[in-house]
Amino acid sequence: MSSSYYADAMDIKTDLVKFMQDIIRIPSLSSEEGAVVERIREEMLKIGYDEVTVDPMGNVLGRIGSGPRIIAFDGHCDIVDVGDPDLWDRDPYSADIEDGILYGRGASDMKGGVASSVYAGALLKKRGIPDNVTFYATATVQEEDCDGLCWQYIINEGGLRPNLVVITEPTSLRIYRGHRGRMEIEVHTSGISCHGSAPERGDNAVYKMAGIIADIEKLNEQLPPRDPLGKGTVTISEIRSSSPSLCAVADGCTIHLDRRLTIDETEDTSVAEILALPSVKAANATVTVLDYEVPSYTGLSYPTRKYYPTWEIKEDEPPVLAAVAAYKRAFDKEAEVGHWTFSTNGVATAGMHHLPTIGFGPGHERFAHAPNEQTEVEHLVCATAFYAALVDEFAKS
Ligand SMILES: [Zn+2]
């Protein structure tokens, strides 16, 4: 690893790592990102970005250059909660470094991607950005609650349509080219309540749901595998019922479905498949795709359907080829290409808006949302070097 990109990234390593530690030490649950956004904005200004904007939703966008070809590196700056603190070997917000490993909530998912892409700007400032390129580093909000919402806003309301989006979620420094989508569905059955001492007078909504539950379990087993993203899945994540009292027959029952979508599975096909289940028809159950409308930390509400489409870019398309070439330039070895198991803001950039999108990030998917979350410090340096190399490849493509 002796390319000039890598050497330049090593030169800014101290500042990069300090910035990473600072943003890990600022807890930033979804809709509570204000303080970390301010810290990121400050760093972009210190590095000398040409323009730094916080949009009305609270996303921070740093720009360098003003060429016609736009490349945006996106990292969400919200994190999930700590979970059981007893499962952590150290303070989840310590940002301690030991033996080249940096620990803390957000280390892999995904403040490392944020830190590296912000510092890619420092490399561009030093090396010079190609005349035909505009570079953006975006630190976006609410991804953990509603993936892609921030980019729906940036595209629809901010009018930014990059020619290439790089999602900097953890890929173990591999080039990723898609992931399964997902959606959240509710199935509801209605009954008639009556006194629990004479249940035959009523119609129990929970019993009507029993057949549906069994059918959903079967449906999950029957969903077909699809290359290269694997099979879609469906599981019941919650069940609840209503009745006038605990001494009454239930008059309503609702299940919440977590549906993961693979290639060729959409909102319409997935709803149709549930409506076609014999038990759903027999119970006259209703099927609803849920909405998300939680306000951002700035108070802005931007309602959307909880449907996050699958996306995939082919291995021989120009963005993937440019990324493979950039990897070779940065590290003088061949890249590995793959895809994520989880979902990212790519659901909006690629899935909804069909903007060319790829993934590359420091850290590892397996540490996301897990105790003792961590990343290699070396990954931060490598990702920064790669992003700068990719800007140069992108300028040529
Ligand atoms: Zn993430």
Side-chain angles (χ1 to χ4, degrees), residues 9 96 124 192 328:
D96 283 351
L124 295 178
I192 298 166
K328 178 103 185 166

Side-chain angles (χ1 to χ4, degrees), residues 63-380:
R63 177 182 63 79
I64 295 174
S66 51
R69 285 177 55 71
I70 302 173
I71 183 168
F73 292 79
D74 176 66
H76 66 79
C77 61
D78 58 323
I79 50 168
V80 296
D81 214 340
V82 165
D84 180 354
D86 291 343
L87 294 175
W88 289 74
D89 297 335
R90 60 189 89 212
D91 174 351
Y93 299 112
S94 73
D96 283 351
I97 297 176
E98 200 178 303
D99 298 330
I101 307 289
L102 191 156
Y103 294 89
R105 174 57 85 221
S108 268
D109 183 15
M110 59 160 296
K111 288 177 172 174
V114 170
S116 293
S117 52
V118 167
Y119 265 85
L123 260 60
L124 295 178
K125 275 285 160 188
K126 180 184 170 196
R127 303 175 63 96
I129 181 165
D131 284 346
N132 64 336
V133 172
T134 299
F135 162 95
Y136 280 94
T138 62
T140 45
V141 300
Q142 289 184 290
E143 191 275 349
E144 294 292 358
D145 253 11
C146 188
D147 12 330
L149 184 68
C150 53
W151 268 94
Q152 288 192 58
Y153 188 84
I154 290 169
I155 294 168
N156 292 332
E157 311 303 325
L160 180 64
R161 292 187 65 87
N163 302 88
L164 178 59
V165 177
V166 183
I167 302 288
T168 63
E169 293 257 19
T171 67
S172 310
L173 301 180
R174 294 189 279 254
I175 295 159
Y176 279 3
R177 56 187 188 87
H179 55 68
R180 294 183 304 167
R182 67 181 190 93
M183 59 192 290
E184 293 180 37
I185 306 171
E186 257 182 23
V187 182
H188 180 80
T189 53
S190 301
I192 298 166
S193 62
C194 68
H195 200 282
S197 63
E200 68 281 1
R201 290 184 207 136
D203 181 16
N204 197 316
V206 173
Y207 296 165
K208 291 179 165 179
M209 191 60 85
I212 297 175
I213 291 169
D215 277 356
I216 300 275
E217 192 178 0
K218 254 184 275 165
L219 173 65
N220 179 55
E221 285 155 21
Q222 289 160 0
L223 291 171
R226 296 251 164 77
D227 276 341
L229 300 183
K231 81 191 273 294
T233 55
V234 59
T235 194
I236 298 172
S237 55
E238 188 182 70
I239 180 164
R240 52 188 191 272
S241 60
S242 57
S243 64
S245 105
L246 289 180
C247 303
V249 162
D251 56 11
C253 185
T254 304
I255 55 173
H256 188 103
L257 305 184
D258 175 321
R259 177 74 163 89
R260 301 286 154 160
L261 306 159
T262 190
I263 311 274
D264 296 335
E265 292 177 340
T266 65
E267 177 177 5
D268 289 347
T269 64
S270 305
V271 168
E273 167 190 274
I274 304 288
L275 285 170
L277 294 174
S279 54
V280 168
K281 287 185 183 159
N284 211 3
T286 57
V287 177
T288 317
V289 180
L290 296 179
D291 290 324
Y292 180 87
E293 46 190 322
V294 177
S296 74
Y297 76 88
T298 62
L300 183 121
S301 191
Y302 199 66
T304 192
R305 197 85 65 91
K306 288 181 152 187
Y307 167 55
Y308 310 87
T310 308
W311 66 278
E312 187 209 5
I313 179 165
K314 299 273 185 279
E315 205 150 358
D316 58 358
E317 288 186 60
V320 179
L321 297 176
V324 167
Y327 189 94
K328 178 103 185 166
R329 265 171 93 153
F331 309 124
D332 196 27
K333 59 179 183 183
E334 298 306 320
E336 287 176 59
V337 179
H339 58 266
W340 280 291
T341 302
F342 63 29
S343 177
T344 74
N345 282 333
V347 297
T349 62
M352 296 175 187
H353 290 277
H354 310 290
L355 301 177
T357 300
I358 57 168
F360 187 96
H364 305 279
E365 195 173 348
R366 69 177 183 279
F367 291 125
H369 305 189
N372 303 310
E373 189 175 347
Q374 57 191 266
T375 189
E376 292 89 335
V377 171
E378 176 70 7
H379 273 212
L380 305 177

